[in-house]
């Protein structure tokens, strides 16, 4: 039906002299996403990109995958042709509409938006729209013109070639992944952290991820759940190296040596130290968590202050001001929610204090940590013995492909 797909981008358009770098990165990400679907040509076309199928590939089958590419705000399935005569434009427009809406399309309201990049063209944009609109009315006599609230908007754009389209399918927006360096996501099996990772990746940040596994207190099903969450996030973010950190010995030491009401805060502090070491190993320059102010005891302002004290890297908390329903709605939209609510507990829920302290004092926390057994070596051992799972674009990658 279509022989081209116009790709609209948003913030990239205001990047000035650096714009071409962002365009090239977006083209790279699009090509990587489309590699499994066939052969496609991706090119720049005056303020947007054009994807053209080759060797029998299809435009229709790549729309859904491209809706998961950060940086794209709209996808326009289009008829693309070179003859810019008015007769050709009108004929292609009518043919396009018959393909999309059927020869006997029901009564609808419409308007035509004409645009021309070549100002030497004999007709201006309004004249092009009027001429095309007349031919549309001849082909669909039951249709009516409505310039204010039409059911169908028909775009005819004259650029290097002519583009006719009547649908703009929304993209996910944001910035191309890898345009904003790299961060390490502390990924649990809950609802919040996958959403936090998705949100920071939407700003162009490449991700690695860190999961703390307390075998045998947490089962392999809990680990598999987190791998699945990372896989779903990678459908948007691309490559993710997931570190599965053995955390049992450290947690048991905390449980035995530290006051019960401080368990969660001390555990979070050690997690942040381990995540920071992994981030350094990965070349990441920030940490990302799913923490949300006031949601649980470890996320009060005082608790977050104590947690942050061990970090030298910036810690991004994109969900900090969200309420739970807002987070759930995003999780449902990105298809992580149903996996997140599977009843396989992680280490944070297994070793939770019955009455956690909500207003901890940093000096007391630091003093309690002094009782831990050789914690520096324990942290390094946990990093060194971490299992690494590689994911990319919704797939678990075997071997060295990632």
């Amino acid at each position: 039906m279509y022989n081209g797909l116009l790709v609209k981008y948003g913030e990239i358009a205001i990047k000035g002299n650096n714009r071409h770098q962002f365009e090239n990165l977006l083209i790279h990400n699009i090509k990587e996403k489309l590699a499994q679907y066939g052969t496609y040509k991706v090119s720049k076309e005056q303020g947007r990109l054009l994807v053209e199928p080759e060797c029998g590939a299809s435009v229709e089958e790549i729309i859904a995958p491209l809706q998961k590419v950060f940086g794209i705000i709209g996808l326009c399935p289009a008829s693309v042709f070179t003859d810019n005569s008015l007769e050709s434009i009108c004929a292609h427009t009518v043919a396009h509409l018959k393909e999309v809406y059927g020869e006997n399309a029901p009564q609808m309201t419409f308007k035509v938006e004409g645009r021309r990049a070549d100002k030497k063209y004999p007709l201006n944009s309004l004249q092009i729209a009027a001429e095309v609109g007349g031919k549309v009315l001849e082909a669909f006599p039951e249709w009516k013109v409505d310039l204010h609230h039409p059911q169908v908007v028909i775009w005819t754009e004259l650029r290097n070639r002519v583009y006719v389209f009547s649908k703009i399918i929304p993209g996910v927006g944001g910035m191309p992944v890898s345009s904003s360096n790299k961060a390490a996501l502390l990924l649990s099996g809950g609802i919040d952290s996958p959403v936090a990772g998705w949100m920071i990746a939407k700003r162009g940040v490449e991700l690695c991820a860190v999961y703390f596994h307390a075998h045998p207190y947490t089962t392999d099903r809990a680990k598999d759940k987190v791998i699945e969450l990372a896989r779903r996030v990678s459908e948007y973010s691309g490559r993710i190296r997931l570190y599965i950190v053995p955390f049992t010995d450290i947690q048991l030491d905390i449980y035995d040596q530290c006051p019960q009401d401080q368990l969660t805060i001390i555990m979070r502090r050690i997690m942040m130290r381990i995540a920071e070491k992994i981030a350094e190993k990965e070349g990441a320059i920030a940490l990302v968590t799913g923490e949300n102010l006031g949601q649980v005891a470890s996320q009060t302002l005082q608790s977050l202050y104590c947690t942050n004290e061990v970090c030298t890297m910036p810690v991004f908390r994109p969900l900090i001001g969200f309420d739970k329903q807002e987070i759930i709605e995003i999780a449902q939209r990105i298809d992580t929610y149903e996996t997140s609510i599977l009843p396989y507990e992680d280490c944070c829920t297994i070793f939770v204090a019955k009455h956690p302290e909500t207003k901890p004092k940093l000096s007391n926390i630091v003093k309690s940590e002094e009782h831990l057994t050789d914690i520096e070596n324990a942290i390094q051992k946990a990093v060194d013995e971490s299992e690494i799972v590689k994911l990319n674009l919704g797939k678990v990658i075997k071997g060295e492909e990632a």
Side-chain angles (χ1 to χ4, degrees):
M1 182 183 295
Y2 309 106
N3 64 340
L5 185 66
L6 280 175
V7 177
K8 294 189 173 187
Y9 49 73
E11 294 178 60
I12 293 175
I14 61 173
K15 289 301 178 182
N17 293 333
N18 293 326
R19 175 170 160 176
H20 70 282
Q21 297 177 9
F22 291 90
E23 289 177 329
N24 291 341
L25 183 55
L26 181 55
I27 288 173
H28 172 271
N29 292 348
I30 288 172
K31 286 181 176 179
E32 189 172 45
K33 189 74 170 181
L34 297 182
Q36 59 186 302
Y37 294 96
T39 305
Y40 294 86
K41 178 183 177 183
V42 186
S43 56
K44 298 180 185 180
E45 181 55 43
Q46 294 180 311
R48 65 248 338 243
L49 307 177
L50 176 65
V51 180
E52 297 175 276
E54 299 178 333
C55 303
S58 164
V59 167
E60 288 86 348
E61 73 171 337
I62 63 172
I63 291 173
L66 289 183
Q67 284 184 286
K68 295 182 177 181
V69 175
F70 289 128
I72 295 175
I73 64 168
L75 298 163
C76 310
S79 298
V80 184
F81 50 97
T82 56
D83 184 355
N84 67 359
S85 67
L86 184 60
E87 181 180 8
S88 173
I89 293 170
C90 290
H92 277 92
T93 300
V94 170
H96 172 87
L97 295 174
K98 287 182 177 179
E99 282 282 341
V100 176
Y101 301 100
E103 292 268 354
N104 301 309
Q107 179 179 328
M108 287 190 284
T109 58
F110 78 98
K111 77 171 181 178
V112 179
E113 291 279 2
R115 293 180 182 175
R116 50 168 195 157
D118 181 5
K119 301 307 179 184
K120 295 180 181 179
Y121 192 78
L123 299 178
N124 63 31
S125 297
L126 290 176
Q127 290 170 325
I128 294 169
E131 293 291 338
V132 171
K135 294 298 182 183
V136 171
L137 286 172
E138 289 180 14
F140 301 93
E142 293 187 357
W143 287 25
K144 297 184 182 299
V145 175
D146 183 343
L147 300 180
H148 301 290
H149 304 288
Q151 292 171 284
V152 177
V153 180
I154 305 160
W155 285 269
T156 57
E157 299 190 355
L158 283 70
R159 299 175 182 270
N160 294 332
R161 288 180 280 178
V162 184
Y163 306 90
V164 174
F165 56 96
S166 58
K167 293 182 179 179
I168 300 179
I169 300 163
V172 71
M175 296 294 293
V177 171
S178 296
S179 63
S180 299
N181 215 293
K182 190 174 187 178
L185 168 67
L186 279 77
L187 183 63
S188 72
I191 297 170
D192 300 343
S193 57
V195 174
W198 179 87
M199 289 180 68
I200 211 72
K202 186 177 179 180
R203 300 308 308 158
V205 177
E206 184 181 351
L207 296 176
C208 60
V210 184
Y211 165 62
F212 296 90
H213 189 53
H215 180 79
Y217 298 96
T218 52
T219 67
D220 283 342
R221 288 185 297 180
K223 180 173 76 170
D224 292 341
K225 172 183 173 181
V226 171
I227 293 172
E228 175 61 15
L229 288 171
R231 187 193 69 77
R232 289 175 185 261
V233 173
S234 79
E235 291 183 11
Y236 296 88
S237 68
R239 287 177 174 82
I240 295 178
R241 284 163 60 89
L242 170 63
Y243 285 74
I244 300 172
V245 179
F247 202 53
T248 309
D249 291 345
I250 291 174
Q251 279 200 289
L252 290 175
D253 193 35
I254 295 171
Y255 192 83
D256 291 339
Q257 304 297 334
C258 300
Q260 290 293 299
D261 60 350
Q262 296 178 359
L263 293 180
T264 304
I265 298 299
I266 294 173
M267 180 183 71
R268 292 292 296 175
R269 282 166 58 90
I270 303 303
M271 285 179 169
M272 298 297 266
R273 292 173 65 183
I274 292 172
E276 198 166 80
K277 282 184 173 291
I278 290 173
E280 291 171 353
K281 185 177 179 179
E282 282 285 314
I285 59 174
L287 303 180
V288 182
T289 78
E291 291 165 314
N292 171 262
L293 188 59
Q295 183 169 253
V296 294
S298 64
Q299 296 173 22
T300 64
L301 200 55
Q302 296 94 326
S303 296
L304 293 176
Y305 172 78
C306 291
T307 302
N308 257 37
E309 191 269 340
V310 299
C311 301
T312 60
M313 291 183 178
V315 181
F316 297 141
R317 296 179 171 93
L319 306 181
I320 195 70
F322 282 48
D323 64 40
K324 195 64 178 184
Q325 186 57 40
E326 290 173 318
I327 300 170
I328 288 172
E329 287 171 1
I330 297 174
Q332 290 171 332
R333 191 165 77 242
I334 66 175
D335 199 24
T336 58
Y337 178 74
E338 294 299 331
T339 301
S340 291
I341 62 174
L342 291 173
Y344 308 135
E345 294 180 305
D346 59 25
C347 64
C348 294
T349 53
I350 293 292
F351 287 90
V352 67
K354 290 183 179 180
H355 303 288
E357 190 171 356
T358 58
K359 297 180 180 179
K361 290 185 178 180
L362 179 59
S363 57
N364 292 341
I365 298 295
V366 172
K367 186 175 181 179
S368 295
E369 286 180 353
E370 293 175 358
H371 296 95
L372 295 175
T373 307
D374 198 8
I375 190 61
E376 295 300 331
N377 283 335
I379 287 173
Q380 189 59 54
K381 182 173 183 286
V383 173
D384 294 341
E385 295 181 358
S386 295
E387 175 189 355
I388 300 175
V389 178
K390 302 174 184 178
L391 309 105
N392 188 26
L393 297 173
K395 294 183 177 180
V396 178
I397 306 300
K398 306 296 183 182
E400 297 301 318
E401 296 178 57

